[in-house]
Amino acid sequence: MRTGDIAPDFRLPDHEGNIRSLGDMVADGPVVLFFYPAASSPVCTAQACHFRDLGASFAALGAQRVGISTDTADRQSHFAMQRAFDYPLLSDSDATVAEQFGVRRGNWMTRFRRRRDLERRRSHAAKRGIVRRLLSVKRTTFVIDRHRVVRLKVTSERAHVHANRALDFLRYLA
């Protein structure tokens, strides 16, 4: 997915069990959709909390924040309650939406099985690429307008970059 592409519509459960669709969300204004690899991990927590802390700034610009990961809805619910998030966290447990947006790191289960088989053979090759095996999606943020057009794409492993760049871009548009 690149800037200028039409974002695919999807329907996913949020951390409260409600089904959310991108089409419904963009009807209320721009959506800042951020993918993160794992709920409650240190960098993902910092990223999600930064989006939470800048909530008033996003609201002033009419933008909605939406987090999405391959964690289960239960794990998302625990993460949301633990950190008092005021925006939806969506569960893409089968990584279908991550695949559509081009942020999936590959078939991590196949890599896990390959690693397990290599470990059984006591090969040192199994220790390579641990980040790719453990993290199912690339940390990526998309600013999507009312017509589902991707206006900005941010890719960085630094937690605070995503919310700051999205906010700067929305301010520029205003």
Side-chain angles (χ1 to χ4, degrees), residues 125-134:
K127 296 176 185 168
R128 290 189 226 150
I130 192 164
V131 170
R132 286 192 182 270
R133 283 194 304 273
L134 296 177

Side-chain angles (χ1 to χ4, degrees), residues 8-29:
D9 199 8
F10 59 79
R11 293 174 49 84
L12 290 175
D14 69 11
H15 67 279
E16 295 176 337
N18 302 315
I19 300 297
R20 304 274 185 136
S21 76
L22 182 60
D24 290 343
M25 291 185 286
V26 297
D28 295 331

Side-chain angles (χ1 to χ4, degrees), residues 45-150:
T45 298
Q47 178 186 16
C49 287
H50 193 56
F51 272 102
R52 178 198 61 204
D53 297 344
L54 294 175
S57 299
F58 281 105
L61 296 167
Q64 306 165 66
R65 300 149 296 146
V66 179
I68 184 169
S69 78
T70 56
D71 293 304
T72 64
D74 288 341
R75 186 155 172 88
Q76 297 282 44
S77 179
H78 180 266
F79 186 41
M81 285 190 302
Q82 184 182 40
R83 300 295 177 172
F85 294 130
D86 59 345
Y87 57 86
L89 299 179
L90 306 181
S91 173
D92 181 25
S93 57
D94 63 358
T96 302
V97 175
E99 185 77 33
Q100 291 174 329
F101 276 79
V103 299
R104 189 170 177 194
R105 286 195 191 268
N107 191 342
W108 61 273
M109 188 51 104
T110 300
R111 290 184 176 159
F112 172 77
R113 288 183 188 124
R114 188 177 306 139
R115 178 177 177 250
R116 183 189 62 206
D117 293 343
L118 288 172
E119 284 176 350
R120 287 181 181 160
R121 287 185 247 145
R122 301 183 192 277
S123 171
H124 72 283
K127 296 176 185 168
R128 290 189 226 150
I130 192 164
V131 170
R132 286 192 182 270
R133 283 194 304 273
L134 296 177
L135 304 178
S136 57
V137 299
K138 299 172 195 167
R139 189 177 316 282
T140 310
T141 298
F142 298 93
V143 175
I144 303 168
D145 71 11
R146 289 180 181 263
H147 306 289
R148 289 196 354 246
V149 175
V150 175

